């Protein structure tokens, strides 16, 4: 039996009257090249997909773009996109009763079956609450009815969805391509049967698949000291642990085939291809590397086909070769040369995200810049001293770095950017001050090999935030005052040097946003009340420096948490013990908790661990559990056609 549904009309006529009164109205009108508008009545299951940030950040997001296309390719399924509206439009929408809308057909978000949000950072949580409120969807999952969409969280932050457990109906961890299609079929069948058992029944069906986490079906019990005693299912048939999704053959999922071309300026003006997924370098701070194991490479021919189709579909003049460590692709040299050869006449530029010092070579760099501009190179040593790099398992020596930058400067580059973190476990002032010494050596080497004085080096510092499912998930976080004091000493060491200081740029974040990110990344369900209090106090766009207010978060935490027996330092600067139940232990990233703990002990002992792609297995747990193996090239194939594409 098909349930009769109300016609859904576009809100654009009401929205259009508001657009002359806001900044960048173009971001709300839709109609981008390669966007899709499908017939509402021809769809059985309808998804509204959101990257909870502004259009300029959200549109280029690969995850949302891929799911948008995967869903719209499916018969009887419709997907549209929505982004966070800026406060100027939010105020007008409230005043004129315009709900949160999709940019594709300007349909109200509340009319969809699923409202899926992709969180790459926890600082987007207040934007989710804004969107729920503007949509007319009850903020608390417990208050929603059959007429409200299933609110679903995904993305890296969803590996610990507990801080937003009160606001979401479900979370999916891991790769989304197959997961959204499996969920769609469950929802389609339930709707076709006449939606028996209501909202509870469809969520129960999703939970029983073993790959969808529904917080309402789990009770959290606490010890007297505030720690978690256990997380236990409260329904039969619901799994004790929820598994992550892993797409094993990337060549079978060559998305996006028709990348979206933005109407307004965005943070990335390029077409991107993910060349592999996963990383086994084993950097202990890196959640992305840990939760995306095992490594799965896209074949060289698969990459070539995606680039060819994507460029034809978009007209972009730059291709980003994306992954967590793109220079580690087993055929990266052939990929870069093949693409540079093929698109030489079209002057299509190639780019990699930041390059590992030990994976950089000048041949690769020359291929990447052959058809594009030779801008700066970015390297990420992460730690200032050799000792701290052993702690974090970032096996790069200072000699490696100096040798690499010497090669770069000697081959025509004039600017190098170095990325570090402050507040790493066991770090001292001395570890951080060695960043200044390293930057000075880089400038000195650049002057030596070029004979020029116009050499530049930019030092960029981010605050370390311990993340779930990493060996550092037990680590204490460095407090705000200590972080700022350490960075001040470093700044003085750089700027006080008359010989080199002028040539070294210094960018850093103070310790405040990192502490709030730490609260949200390792928080449990009690933190939800803090997020709501911040939202109600005007918190929006917390990932943007100009909108973030530490005082607002501190006020909310100091108001809410003491009544729950905990406080901000309890979540952030406190070290956890081996036996503590962590809020995300019932969400299975494939990593063995005992292995993570052993790696944490290795970090404290300053013991390095090799990359398991090229060494015997270290028993992290992923491969046997997924019944898989690390996928390693090379295939030995070349990018065909070898002739230039006209």
């Amino acid at each position: 039996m098909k349930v009769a549904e109300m016609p859904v009309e576009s809100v654009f006529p009401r929205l259009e009257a508001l657009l002359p009164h806001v900044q960048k109205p173009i971001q709300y009108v839709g109609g981008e090249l390669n966007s899709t508008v499908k017939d509402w009545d021809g769809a059985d299951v309808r998804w509204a997909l959101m990257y909870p940030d502004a259009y300029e950040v959200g549109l280029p997001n690969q995850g949302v773009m891929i799911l948008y296309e995967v869903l719209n390719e499916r018969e009887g399924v419709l997907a549209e996109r929505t982004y966070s509206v800026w406060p100027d439009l939010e105020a007008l929408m409230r005043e004129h009763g315009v709900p949160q809308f999709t940019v594709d057909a300007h349909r109200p978000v509340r009319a969809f079956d699923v409202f899926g949000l992709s969180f790459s950072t926890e600082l987007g949580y207040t934007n989710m609450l804004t969107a729920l409120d503007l949509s007319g969807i009850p903020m608390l999952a417990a208050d929603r009815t059959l007429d409200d969409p299933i609110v679903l969280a995904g993305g890296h932050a969803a590996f610990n969805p507990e801080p937003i457990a009160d606001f979401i109906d479900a979370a999916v961890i891991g790769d989304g391509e197959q997961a959204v299609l499996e969920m769609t079929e469950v929802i389609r069948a339930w709707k076709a049967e006449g939606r028996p058992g209501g909202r509870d029944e469809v969520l129960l069906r999703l939970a029983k698949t073993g790959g969808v986490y529904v917080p309402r079906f789990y009770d959290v019990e606490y010890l007297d000291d505030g720690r978690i005693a256990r997380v236990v299912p409260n329904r039969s048939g619901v799994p004790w642990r929820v598994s992550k999704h892993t797409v094993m053959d990337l060549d079978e999922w060559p998305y996006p085939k028709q990348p979206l071309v933005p109407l307004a300026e965005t943070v990335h003006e390029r077409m991107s291809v993910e060349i592999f997924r996963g990383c086994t370098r084993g950097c202990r701070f890196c959640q992305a590397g840990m939760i995306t194991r095992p490594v799965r490479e896209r074949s060289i021919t698969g990459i070539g086909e995606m680039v060819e189709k994507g460029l034809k579909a978009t007209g972009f003049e730059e291709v980003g070769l994306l992954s967590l460590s793109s220079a580690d692709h087993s055929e990266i040299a052939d990929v870069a040369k093949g693409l540079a050869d093929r698109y030489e006449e079209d002057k299509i530029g190639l780019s990699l995200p930041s390059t590992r010092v030990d994976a950089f070579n000048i041949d690769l760099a020359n291929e990447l810049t052959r058809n594009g501009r030779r801008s700066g190179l970015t390297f990420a040593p992460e730690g200032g001293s050799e000792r701290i790099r052993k702690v974090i398992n970032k096996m790069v020596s200072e000699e490696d770095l100096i040798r690499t930058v010497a090669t770069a400067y000697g081959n025509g580059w004039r600017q190098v950017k170095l990325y570090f973190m402050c507040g790493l476990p066991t770090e001292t002032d001395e570890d951080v001050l060695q960043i200044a010494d390293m930057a000075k050596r880089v400038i000195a080497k650049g002057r030596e090999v070029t004979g020029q004085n116009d050499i530049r080096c930019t030092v960029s510092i981010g605050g370390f935030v311990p993340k779930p499912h990493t060996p550092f998930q037990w680590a204490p976080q460095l407090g705000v005052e200590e972080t700022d004091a350490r960075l001040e000493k470093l700044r003085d060491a750089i700027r006080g040097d008359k010989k080199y200081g002028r040539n070294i740029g210094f960018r850093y974040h103070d310790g405040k946003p990192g502490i709030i990110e730490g609260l949200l990344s390792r928080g449990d369900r009690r933190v939800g009340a803090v997020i709501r209090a911040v939202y109600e106090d005007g918190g929006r766009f917390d990932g943007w420096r100009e909108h973030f207010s530490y005082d607002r978060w501190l006020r909310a935490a100091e108001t809410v948490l003491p009544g729950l027996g905990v406080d901000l330092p309890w979540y952030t600067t406190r070290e956890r013990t081996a036996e503590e139940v962590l809020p995300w232990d019932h969400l299975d990233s494939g990593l063995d908790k005992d292995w993570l703990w052993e790696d944490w002990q290795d970090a404290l002992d300053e013991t390095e661990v090799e990359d398991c792609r090229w060494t015997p297995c270290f028993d992290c747990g992923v491969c046997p559990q997924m019944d898989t193996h690390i996928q390693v090239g090379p295939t030995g194939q070349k990018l065909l056609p070898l002739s230039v594409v006209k």
Side-chain angles (χ1 to χ4, degrees):
M1 177 183 99
K2 189 155 185 174
V3 179
E5 297 180 57
M6 296 291 289
V8 174
E9 293 178 2
S10 168
V11 303
F12 193 72
R14 287 187 285 154
L15 174 69
E16 191 174 18
L18 309 181
L19 295 182
H21 306 289
V22 301
Q23 288 185 310
K24 297 186 186 171
I26 188 81
Q27 66 190 309
Y28 305 119
V29 302
E32 299 93 344
L33 182 63
N34 300 325
S35 61
T36 304
V37 176
K38 293 178 80 169
D39 175 38
W40 184 267
D41 295 325
D44 307 314
V45 181
R46 308 176 184 100
W47 288 69
L49 299 172
M50 182 179 201
Y51 188 83
D53 207 325
Y55 178 93
E56 62 201 80
V57 179
L59 184 128
N61 179 261
Q62 286 289 103
V64 171
M65 211 184 288
I66 288 168
L67 299 184
Y68 175 72
E69 201 171 299
V70 164
L71 288 162
N72 277 322
E73 272 190 3
R74 188 58 61 105
E75 191 70 33
V77 183
L78 169 158
E80 298 187 13
R81 297 162 295 126
T82 185
Y83 304 105
S84 295
V85 298
W86 283 111
D88 57 356
L89 182 59
E90 180 193 338
L92 289 169
M93 287 166 66
R94 291 186 186 282
E95 186 184 335
H96 295 274
V98 176
Q100 180 82 24
F101 55 88
T102 60
V103 294
D104 295 291
H106 298 93
R107 290 161 173 154
V109 164
R110 190 173 180 228
F112 289 76
D113 297 305
V114 187
F115 180 26
L117 300 105
S118 178
F119 293 101
S120 52
T121 166
E122 297 85 359
L123 293 172
Y125 291 160
T126 47
N127 282 1
M128 171 183 72
L129 298 190
T130 308
L132 288 172
D133 196 30
L134 285 173
S135 301
I137 299 168
M139 204 163 284
L140 295 175
D143 296 338
R144 291 179 196 139
T145 69
L146 199 51
D147 295 327
D148 294 302
I150 294 165
V151 178
L152 173 72
H156 287 183
F159 276 81
N160 177 25
E162 291 301 278
I164 53 171
D166 288 345
F167 313 120
I168 61 171
D169 296 296
V172 168
I173 58 173
D175 299 333
E177 292 94 331
Q178 291 159 323
V180 294
L181 294 178
E182 288 166 12
M183 287 187 68
T184 296
E185 292 314 311
V186 171
I187 295 164
R188 195 200 305 257
W190 170 75
K191 287 183 73 177
E193 292 164 26
R195 305 194 292 185
R199 190 176 191 82
D200 209 58
E201 170 68 18
V202 70
L203 291 172
L204 191 58
R205 291 187 190 187
L206 290 168
K208 284 181 175 178
T209 64
V212 179
Y213 173 54
V214 179
R216 72 163 70 180
F217 296 147
Y218 295 81
D219 293 331
V220 182
E221 299 168 5
Y222 298 97
L223 299 168
D224 291 341
D225 63 4
R227 291 177 303 152
I228 294 171
R230 62 178 193 151
V231 179
V232 57
N234 57 32
R235 294 291 180 94
S236 63
V238 172
W240 279 84
R241 300 191 80 202
V242 178
S243 300
K244 79 167 179 181
H245 296 260
T246 303
V247 169
M248 286 313 305
D249 188 346
L250 291 189
D251 282 338
E252 285 183 6
W253 297 87
Y255 295 92
K257 299 171 185 172
Q258 305 269 316
L260 293 162
V261 180
L263 294 172
E265 187 180 348
T266 59
V267 290
H268 298 304
E269 297 286 337
R270 65 182 181 215
M271 183 223 135
S272 297
V273 172
E274 184 185 28
I275 63 174
F276 72 87
R277 208 171 275 184
C279 182
T280 47
R281 287 281 189 167
C283 300
R284 294 177 174 126
F285 58 83
C286 181
Q287 184 190 45
M290 292 289 169
I291 63 178
T292 57
R293 292 180 175 206
V295 169
R296 292 143 286 151
E297 287 193 354
R298 204 182 291 282
S299 70
I300 184 170
T301 46
I303 294 166
E305 284 168 20
M306 284 187 70
V307 171
E308 189 175 348
K309 285 179 182 166
L311 288 174
K312 277 182 183 163
T314 62
F316 279 125
E317 294 176 348
E318 183 183 334
V319 176
L321 302 175
L322 302 189
S323 77
L324 293 173
S325 184
S326 293
D328 284 344
H329 190 287
S330 60
E331 295 183 294
I332 189 63
D334 287 335
V335 168
K337 184 177 188 313
L339 292 173
D341 285 346
R342 184 186 279 186
Y343 299 107
E344 191 159 20
E345 284 192 7
D346 296 332
K347 292 282 182 259
I348 300 295
L350 302 174
S351 64
L352 295 187
S354 71
T355 314
R356 283 188 63 101
V357 170
D358 50 357
F360 176 86
N361 66 71
I362 206 65
D363 293 335
L364 173 61
N366 284 335
E367 294 297 358
L368 290 169
T369 56
R370 196 199 316 169
N371 303 334
R373 66 186 192 285
R374 182 165 291 203
S375 54
L377 288 168
T378 302
F379 299 107
E382 310 288 1
S385 68
E386 198 95 19
R387 186 194 75 79
I388 207 76
R389 288 194 294 277
K390 286 180 178 174
V391 170
I392 64 177
N393 205 43
K394 187 91 179 189
M395 293 175 284
V396 174
S397 72
E398 190 158 336
E399 298 314 313
D400 285 339
L401 178 71
I402 298 303
R403 193 164 48 245
T404 298
V405 297
T407 308
Y409 286 133
N411 281 269
W413 274 270
R414 286 290 172 273
Q415 176 138 345
V416 166
K417 183 177 178 183
L418 301 177
Y419 180 80
F420 299 91
M421 282 189 287
C422 177
L424 290 160
T426 78
E427 181 186 273
T428 63
D429 288 358
E430 183 51 39
D431 292 313
V432 171
L433 288 171
Q434 285 191 42
I435 294 171
D437 298 335
M438 188 185 282
K440 293 170 195 174
R441 280 193 68 191
V442 164
I443 296 290
K445 194 63 167 178
R447 289 175 179 175
E448 177 193 320
V449 297
T450 63
Q452 309 276 324
N453 276 340
D454 66 338
I455 296 301
R456 293 278 305 160
C457 170
T458 300
V459 169
S460 184
I461 314 267
F464 165 67
V465 179
K467 293 285 185 176
H469 306 281
T470 70
F472 288 167
Q473 63 185 1
W474 292 278
Q477 194 171 350
L478 193 66
V480 171
E481 291 79 13
E482 298 93 329
T483 300
D484 291 351
R486 208 165 271 177
L487 289 171
E488 210 168 293
K489 287 176 185 170
L490 175 60
R491 186 190 63 202
D492 293 346
I494 290 173
R495 290 188 180 158
D497 190 292
K498 290 192 168 58
K499 190 173 180 185
Y500 299 113
R502 231 176 229 181
N503 295 67
I504 301 171
F506 185 50
R507 293 185 196 153
Y508 65 94
H509 296 285
D510 63 35
K512 291 175 178 175
I515 281 289
I516 300 310
E517 193 182 331
L519 167 72
L520 299 176
S521 68
R522 290 195 293 176
D524 52 43
R525 293 188 183 185
R526 292 170 288 192
V527 172
V530 179
I531 299 168
R532 182 162 187 173
V534 168
Y535 162 74
E536 289 173 348
D537 194 24
R540 310 284 188 276
F541 291 96
D542 286 298
W544 294 66
R545 187 180 291 186
E546 60 267 40
H547 293 277
F548 174 80
S549 164
Y550 180 69
D551 291 341
R552 185 188 285 135
W553 280 96
L554 199 59
R555 213 165 37 240
E558 288 175 348
T559 303
V560 170
L561 294 177
L564 301 171
V566 287
D567 58 15
L568 185 58
W570 194 87
Y571 285 108
T572 54
T573 55
R574 175 179 70 93
E575 185 170 351
R576 278 72 165 161
T577 58
E579 62 276 3
E580 180 164 344
V581 175
L582 302 173
W584 50 88
D585 278 349
H586 55 297
L587 297 169
D588 188 359
S589 62
L591 296 159
D592 182 69
K593 192 177 179 184
D594 290 339
W595 176 81
L596 287 170
W597 178 261
E598 285 164 18
D599 207 39
W600 170 226
Q601 301 311 298
D602 282 344
L604 296 175
D605 293 338
E606 298 169 24
T607 302
E608 296 171 327
V609 177
E610 297 282 340
D611 183 342
C612 67
R613 275 182 90 179
W614 320 114
T615 60
C617 174
F618 294 114
D619 292 327
C620 76
V622 169
C623 290
Q625 184 162 323
M626 305 272 174
D627 190 24
T628 181
H629 57 278
I630 291 169
Q631 296 184 356
V632 181
T635 61
Q637 293 177 292
K638 298 290 178 197
L639 266 184
L640 297 171
L642 291 175
S643 59
V644 175
V645 175
K646 298 292 185 191

